[in-house]
């Protein structure tokens, strides 16, 4: 009977040690967004970022956008997207890089704490409205496109270039029309929306923008004569922005990891003492 007791004790110690070895470090990161477009080109709304275990898929090209994507693509509002993310991935970490729209050369930053880059927060998703537009946005269709697990060992930094030719999406939710586009004034164009969710419903699907879209926008005399659209055309540039994700503190084990490790050692000690008594 005593042998069986030992087996149970050793098994319990193994489980405890196994759990401590499998526990992941909590890591703090800094996210920096830089608008790398040339002067006079497009801006971006405050960037939303989410870190998840692969379970959050922002959108699918060829399918209707979620309400979260619609609101950020049309109004630069990341609120509904945040609600959707929180409901989809209970262990996710998210945030929005606060500030006014980032125009060429502008930099925005956000620090997030306690991420598990080996598990619950291994994959990175992002979204931001592109202005000038009705419903253009940047974001990743593939939930697993950006794997951050390499950041844990010794820190490090991952840089992701976003937007640019073939990497800007039309949410398919609002008809492209300068009469209802956001941030017209920043580009010297008349008209534009004056409140949230204005404009005509597009009833379309998320689709990639492959050609300069602005020529097709011309309408209603809102554009000054001789207006030069060429600086705006993100299809003529490699990227709109660069996202840098870097570890800001050395990874440290969580308190419960120590607790499990000590618990495992205590059990091993108990087994050793019992063996010595049995001799
Ligand atoms: Ca997708
Ligand atoms: Ca549209
Ligand atoms: Ca809408």
């Amino acid at each position: 009977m005593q042998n069986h007791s030992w087996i149970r004790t050793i098994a319990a110690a193994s489980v405890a040690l196994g759990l401590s070895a499998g526990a992941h470090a909590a890591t703090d990161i800094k996210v920096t967004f830089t608008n790398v477009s040339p002067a006079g080109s497009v801006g971006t709304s405050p960037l939303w970022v989410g870190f998840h275990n692969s379970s959050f898929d922002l959108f699918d090209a060829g399918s209707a956008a979620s309400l979260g994507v619609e609101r950020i693509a049309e109004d630069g509002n990341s609120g509904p997207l945040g609600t959707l993310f929180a409901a989809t991935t209970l262990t996710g970490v998210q945030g929005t890089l606060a500030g006014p729209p980032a125009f060429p050369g502008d930099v925005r930053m956000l620090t997030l704490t306690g991420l598990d880059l080996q598990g619950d927060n291994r994959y990175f998703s992002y979204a931001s409205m592109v202005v000038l537009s009705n419903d253009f946005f940047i974001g990743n269709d593939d939930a697993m496109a950006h794997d951050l697990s390499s950041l844990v060992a010794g820190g490090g930094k991952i840089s992701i270039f976003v937007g640019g030719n073939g990497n800007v999406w039309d949410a398919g939710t609002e008809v492209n029309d300068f009469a209802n586009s956001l941030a017209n004034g920043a580009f010297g164009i008349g008209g534009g929306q004056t409140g949230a969710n204005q404009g005509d419903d597009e009833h379309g699907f998320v689709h990639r923008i492959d050609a300069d879209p602005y020529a097709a926008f011309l309408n209603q005399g809102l554009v000054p004569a001789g207006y030069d659209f060429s600086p705006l055309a993100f299809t003529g540039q490699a990227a709109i922005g660069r996202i840098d994700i870097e570890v800001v503190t050395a990874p440290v084990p969580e308190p419960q990891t120590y607790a499990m490790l000590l618990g495992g050692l205590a059990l091993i000690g108990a087994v050793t003492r019992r063996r010595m008594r049995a001799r």
Side-chain angles (χ1 to χ4, degrees):
M1 292 301 290
Q2 197 174 29
N3 282 344
H4 289 155
S5 172
W6 284 11
I7 289 167
R8 280 199 298 273
T9 307
I10 291 167
S14 301
V15 167
L17 286 173
L19 280 174
S20 64
H24 298 150
T27 305
D28 299 344
I29 60 169
K30 183 172 78 174
V31 183
T32 306
F33 177 86
T34 306
N35 187 327
V36 298
S37 296
S41 188
V42 291
T44 51
S45 70
L47 183 76
W48 173 87
V49 295
F51 301 85
H52 54 88
N53 61 4
S54 81
S55 61
F56 182 75
D57 191 357
L58 183 70
F59 70 96
D60 291 322
S63 296
S66 65
L67 178 68
V69 167
E70 177 181 350
R71 288 292 182 265
I72 199 164
E74 293 186 9
D75 303 326
N77 174 13
S78 63
L81 182 56
T83 302
L84 178 65
F85 182 82
T88 305
T89 170
L90 298 179
T91 56
V93 173
Q94 62 174 320
T96 299
L97 280 63
F103 289 104
D106 287 346
V107 179
R108 305 282 181 261
M109 279 182 278
L110 176 69
T111 298
L112 294 165
T113 59
L115 280 75
D116 174 3
L117 297 180
Q118 297 287 296
D120 288 341
N121 313 117
R122 174 174 176 173
Y123 295 102
F124 171 61
S125 293
Y126 65 94
S128 172
M129 180 185 189
V130 174
V131 291
L132 176 66
S133 81
N134 295 85
D135 60 345
F136 295 172
F137 72 101
I138 54 177
N140 50 312
D141 182 336
D142 179 0
M144 298 169 71
H146 305 295
D147 182 352
L148 306 177
S149 58
S150 68
L151 281 180
V152 170
K157 180 164 99 172
I158 288 177
S159 294
I160 303 164
F161 286 89
V162 297
N165 189 31
N167 295 302
V168 176
W169 305 92
D170 185 314
T173 56
E174 182 177 323
V175 173
N176 299 340
D177 181 344
F178 280 144
N180 298 301
S181 49
L182 190 68
N184 288 21
F187 298 92
I189 294 174
Q193 77 179 53
T194 54
N197 194 29
Q198 287 181 348
D200 299 327
D201 288 342
E202 188 173 345
H203 302 295
F205 300 133
V206 178
H207 58 280
R208 194 181 294 275
I209 301 168
D210 290 319
D212 179 3
Y214 293 111
F217 268 42
L218 292 170
N219 59 15
Q220 300 172 355
L222 296 171
V223 182
Y227 190 88
D228 181 8
F229 281 96
S230 52
L232 270 174
F234 50 77
T235 49
Q237 51 197 76
I240 290 175
R242 189 186 69 241
I243 300 171
D244 299 312
I245 302 171
E246 56 194 307
V247 174
V248 293
T249 55
V252 291
E254 293 169 344
Q256 57 263 42
T257 305
Y258 287 123
M260 282 187 287
L261 182 61
L262 290 173
L265 291 174
L267 283 167
I268 286 177
V271 171
T272 306
R273 284 193 297 276
R274 292 184 68 150
R275 275 182 176 154
M276 290 177 74
R277 277 204 304 275
R279 282 194 182 125

PDB file of all heavy atoms in Angstrom, residues 227-245:
ATOM      1  N   TYR A 227      -6.971  69.953 -59.157  1.00  0.00           N
ATOM      2  CA  TYR A 227      -6.511  69.256 -57.944  1.00  0.00           C
ATOM      3  C   TYR A 227      -5.596  68.084 -58.318  1.00  0.00           C
ATOM      4  O   TYR A 227      -5.878  67.313 -59.217  1.00  0.00           O
ATOM      5  CB  TYR A 227      -7.721  68.731 -57.165  1.00  0.00           C
ATOM      6  CG  TYR A 227      -7.369  68.213 -55.796  1.00  0.00           C
ATOM      7  CD1 TYR A 227      -7.344  69.052 -54.694  1.00  0.00           C
ATOM      8  CD2 TYR A 227      -7.065  66.868 -55.593  1.00  0.00           C
ATOM      9  CE1 TYR A 227      -7.032  68.585 -53.436  1.00  0.00           C
ATOM     10  CE2 TYR A 227      -6.749  66.388 -54.341  1.00  0.00           C
ATOM     11  CZ  TYR A 227      -6.734  67.250 -53.262  1.00  0.00           C
ATOM     12  OH  TYR A 227      -6.412  66.777 -52.029  1.00  0.00           O
ATOM     13  N   ASP A 228      -4.482  67.983 -57.608  1.00  0.00           N
ATOM     14  CA  ASP A 228      -3.504  66.930 -57.907  1.00  0.00           C
ATOM     15  C   ASP A 228      -3.709  65.752 -56.961  1.00  0.00           C
ATOM     16  O   ASP A 228      -3.395  65.833 -55.768  1.00  0.00           O
ATOM     17  CB  ASP A 228      -2.089  67.492 -57.760  1.00  0.00           C
ATOM     18  CG  ASP A 228      -1.026  66.461 -58.085  1.00  0.00           C
ATOM     19  OD1 ASP A 228      -1.387  65.368 -58.575  1.00  0.00           O
ATOM     20  OD2 ASP A 228       0.160  66.747 -57.847  1.00  0.00           O
ATOM     21  N   PHE A 229      -4.247  64.681 -57.486  1.00  0.00           N
ATOM     22  CA  PHE A 229      -4.505  63.495 -56.676  1.00  0.00           C
ATOM     23  C   PHE A 229      -3.265  62.609 -56.491  1.00  0.00           C
ATOM     24  O   PHE A 229      -3.289  61.682 -55.684  1.00  0.00           O
ATOM     25  CB  PHE A 229      -5.603  62.631 -57.321  1.00  0.00           C
ATOM     26  CG  PHE A 229      -6.985  63.143 -57.078  1.00  0.00           C
ATOM     27  CD1 PHE A 229      -7.611  63.935 -58.026  1.00  0.00           C
ATOM     28  CD2 PHE A 229      -7.650  62.849 -55.904  1.00  0.00           C
ATOM     29  CE1 PHE A 229      -8.890  64.407 -57.803  1.00  0.00           C
ATOM     30  CE2 PHE A 229      -8.921  63.322 -55.679  1.00  0.00           C
ATOM     31  CZ  PHE A 229      -9.554  64.109 -56.637  1.00  0.00           C
ATOM     32  N   SER A 230      -2.218  62.884 -57.257  1.00  0.00           N
ATOM     33  CA  SER A 230      -1.114  61.919 -57.285  1.00  0.00           C
ATOM     34  C   SER A 230      -0.464  61.668 -55.914  1.00  0.00           C
ATOM     35  O   SER A 230      -0.105  60.524 -55.620  1.00  0.00           O
ATOM     36  CB  SER A 230      -0.067  62.334 -58.318  1.00  0.00           C
ATOM     37  OG  SER A 230       0.345  63.667 -58.127  1.00  0.00           O
ATOM     38  N   PRO A 231      -0.318  62.689 -55.024  1.00  0.00           N
ATOM     39  CA  PRO A 231       0.293  62.371 -53.722  1.00  0.00           C
ATOM     40  C   PRO A 231      -0.573  61.444 -52.863  1.00  0.00           C
ATOM     41  O   PRO A 231      -0.061  60.704 -52.033  1.00  0.00           O
ATOM     42  CB  PRO A 231       0.432  63.741 -53.054  1.00  0.00           C
ATOM     43  CG  PRO A 231       0.308  64.739 -54.133  1.00  0.00           C
ATOM     44  CD  PRO A 231      -0.606  64.121 -55.148  1.00  0.00           C
ATOM     45  N   LEU A 232      -1.903  61.522 -53.062  1.00  0.00           N
ATOM     46  CA  LEU A 232      -2.817  60.719 -52.247  1.00  0.00           C
ATOM     47  C   LEU A 232      -2.749  59.230 -52.571  1.00  0.00           C
ATOM     48  O   LEU A 232      -3.033  58.395 -51.710  1.00  0.00           O
ATOM     49  CB  LEU A 232      -4.261  61.179 -52.505  1.00  0.00           C
ATOM     50  CG  LEU A 232      -4.837  62.273 -51.633  1.00  0.00           C
ATOM     51  CD1 LEU A 232      -6.209  62.665 -52.159  1.00  0.00           C
ATOM     52  CD2 LEU A 232      -4.956  61.784 -50.198  1.00  0.00           C
ATOM     53  N   ALA A 233      -2.395  58.891 -53.800  1.00  0.00           N
ATOM     54  CA  ALA A 233      -2.582  57.528 -54.293  1.00  0.00           C
ATOM     55  C   ALA A 233      -1.668  56.525 -53.581  1.00  0.00           C
ATOM     56  O   ALA A 233      -0.517  56.348 -53.936  1.00  0.00           O
ATOM     57  CB  ALA A 233      -2.353  57.484 -55.799  1.00  0.00           C
ATOM     58  N   PHE A 234      -2.227  55.833 -52.576  1.00  0.00           N
ATOM     59  CA  PHE A 234      -1.444  54.835 -51.843  1.00  0.00           C
ATOM     60  C   PHE A 234      -1.095  53.635 -52.713  1.00  0.00           C
ATOM     61  O   PHE A 234      -0.224  52.845 -52.341  1.00  0.00           O
ATOM     62  CB  PHE A 234      -2.178  54.396 -50.575  1.00  0.00           C
ATOM     63  CG  PHE A 234      -3.617  54.001 -50.790  1.00  0.00           C
ATOM     64  CD1 PHE A 234      -3.952  52.788 -51.345  1.00  0.00           C
ATOM     65  CD2 PHE A 234      -4.624  54.880 -50.429  1.00  0.00           C
ATOM     66  CE1 PHE A 234      -5.275  52.441 -51.545  1.00  0.00           C
ATOM     67  CE2 PHE A 234      -5.958  54.536 -50.622  1.00  0.00           C
ATOM     68  CZ  PHE A 234      -6.287  53.305 -51.190  1.00  0.00           C
ATOM     69  N   THR A 235      -1.772  53.483 -53.845  1.00  0.00           N
ATOM     70  CA  THR A 235      -1.425  52.378 -54.746  1.00  0.00           C
ATOM     71  C   THR A 235      -0.081  52.608 -55.429  1.00  0.00           C
ATOM     72  O   THR A 235       0.469  51.706 -56.044  1.00  0.00           O
ATOM     73  CB  THR A 235      -2.514  52.184 -55.818  1.00  0.00           C
ATOM     74  OG1 THR A 235      -2.814  53.463 -56.389  1.00  0.00           O
ATOM     75  CG2 THR A 235      -3.762  51.586 -55.206  1.00  0.00           C
ATOM     76  N   GLY A 236       0.444  53.832 -55.284  1.00  0.00           N
ATOM     77  CA  GLY A 236       1.748  54.115 -55.872  1.00  0.00           C
ATOM     78  C   GLY A 236       2.892  53.999 -54.868  1.00  0.00           C
ATOM     79  O   GLY A 236       4.029  54.344 -55.188  1.00  0.00           O
ATOM     80  N   GLN A 237       2.598  53.528 -53.659  1.00  0.00           N
ATOM     81  CA  GLN A 237       3.638  53.429 -52.640  1.00  0.00           C
ATOM     82  C   GLN A 237       3.668  52.032 -52.028  1.00  0.00           C
ATOM     83  O   GLN A 237       2.668  51.314 -52.018  1.00  0.00           O
ATOM     84  CB  GLN A 237       3.440  54.499 -51.564  1.00  0.00           C
ATOM     85  CG  GLN A 237       2.050  54.567 -50.982  1.00  0.00           C
ATOM     86  CD  GLN A 237       1.777  55.857 -50.240  1.00  0.00           C
ATOM     87  OE1 GLN A 237       1.558  56.924 -50.814  1.00  0.00           O
ATOM     88  NE2 GLN A 237       1.754  55.752 -48.919  1.00  0.00           N
ATOM     89  N   ALA A 238       4.829  51.649 -51.502  1.00  0.00           N
ATOM     90  CA  ALA A 238       5.003  50.294 -50.979  1.00  0.00           C
ATOM     91  C   ALA A 238       4.229  50.079 -49.689  1.00  0.00           C
ATOM     92  O   ALA A 238       3.760  48.972 -49.412  1.00  0.00           O
ATOM     93  CB  ALA A 238       6.485  50.017 -50.746  1.00  0.00           C
ATOM     94  N   ALA A 239       4.104  51.121 -48.874  1.00  0.00           N
ATOM     95  CA  ALA A 239       3.428  50.981 -47.584  1.00  0.00           C
ATOM     96  C   ALA A 239       2.895  52.334 -47.142  1.00  0.00           C
ATOM     97  O   ALA A 239       3.419  53.381 -47.532  1.00  0.00           O
ATOM     98  CB  ALA A 239       4.381  50.439 -46.522  1.00  0.00           C
ATOM     99  N   ILE A 240       1.849  52.321 -46.336  1.00  0.00           N
ATOM    100  CA  ILE A 240       1.358  53.538 -45.698  1.00  0.00           C
ATOM    101  C   ILE A 240       2.012  53.696 -44.331  1.00  0.00           C
ATOM    102  O   ILE A 240       2.367  54.796 -43.925  1.00  0.00           O
ATOM    103  CB  ILE A 240      -0.183  53.486 -45.547  1.00  0.00           C
ATOM    104  CG1 ILE A 240      -0.854  53.615 -46.919  1.00  0.00           C
ATOM    105  CG2 ILE A 240      -0.671  54.576 -44.606  1.00  0.00           C
ATOM    106  CD1 ILE A 240      -2.369  53.457 -46.886  1.00  0.00           C
ATOM    107  N   GLY A 241       2.173  52.595 -43.639  1.00  0.00           N
ATOM    108  CA  GLY A 241       2.706  52.698 -42.283  1.00  0.00           C
ATOM    109  C   GLY A 241       3.632  51.551 -41.924  1.00  0.00           C
ATOM    110  O   GLY A 241       3.708  50.537 -42.627  1.00  0.00           O
ATOM    111  N   ARG A 242       4.352  51.754 -40.825  1.00  0.00           N
ATOM    112  CA  ARG A 242       5.169  50.688 -40.252  1.00  0.00           C
ATOM    113  C   ARG A 242       4.755  50.516 -38.794  1.00  0.00           C
ATOM    114  O   ARG A 242       4.663  51.500 -38.044  1.00  0.00           O
ATOM    115  CB  ARG A 242       6.662  51.029 -40.318  1.00  0.00           C
ATOM    116  CG  ARG A 242       7.574  49.855 -39.931  1.00  0.00           C
ATOM    117  CD  ARG A 242       9.043  50.245 -39.863  1.00  0.00           C
ATOM    118  NE  ARG A 242       9.323  51.126 -38.748  1.00  0.00           N
ATOM    119  CZ  ARG A 242       9.811  52.362 -38.858  1.00  0.00           C
ATOM    120  NH1 ARG A 242      10.111  52.861 -40.024  1.00  0.00           N
ATOM    121  NH2 ARG A 242      10.017  53.098 -37.782  1.00  0.00           N
ATOM    122  N   ILE A 243       4.494  49.270 -38.418  1.00  0.00           N
ATOM    123  CA  ILE A 243       4.161  48.954 -37.025  1.00  0.00           C
ATOM    124  C   ILE A 243       5.356  48.235 -36.420  1.00  0.00           C
ATOM    125  O   ILE A 243       5.784  47.192 -36.932  1.00  0.00           O
ATOM    126  CB  ILE A 243       2.909  48.057 -36.944  1.00  0.00           C
ATOM    127  CG1 ILE A 243       1.699  48.753 -37.583  1.00  0.00           C
ATOM    128  CG2 ILE A 243       2.607  47.697 -35.490  1.00  0.00           C
ATOM    129  CD1 ILE A 243       0.471  47.843 -37.738  1.00  0.00           C
ATOM    130  N   ASP A 244       5.907  48.805 -35.361  1.00  0.00           N
ATOM    131  CA  ASP A 244       7.006  48.163 -34.629  1.00  0.00           C
ATOM    132  C   ASP A 244       6.462  47.623 -33.310  1.00  0.00           C
ATOM    133  O   ASP A 244       5.842  48.363 -32.540  1.00  0.00           O
ATOM    134  CB  ASP A 244       8.121  49.169 -34.336  1.00  0.00           C
ATOM    135  CG  ASP A 244       8.733  49.744 -35.611  1.00  0.00           C
ATOM    136  OD1 ASP A 244       9.054  48.958 -36.512  1.00  0.00           O
ATOM    137  OD2 ASP A 244       8.876  50.982 -35.691  1.00  0.00           O
ATOM    138  N   ILE A 245       6.711  46.352 -33.064  1.00  0.00           N
ATOM    139  CA  ILE A 245       6.299  45.725 -31.799  1.00  0.00           C
ATOM    140  C   ILE A 245       7.561  45.247 -31.101  1.00  0.00           C
ATOM    141  O   ILE A 245       8.315  44.439 -31.651  1.00  0.00           O
ATOM    142  CB  ILE A 245       5.346  44.540 -32.051  1.00  0.00           C
ATOM    143  CG1 ILE A 245       4.112  45.017 -32.821  1.00  0.00           C
ATOM    144  CG2 ILE A 245       4.943  43.887 -30.728  1.00  0.00           C
ATOM    145  CD1 ILE A 245       3.228  43.887 -33.308  1.00  0.00           C
TER     146      ILE A 245
END
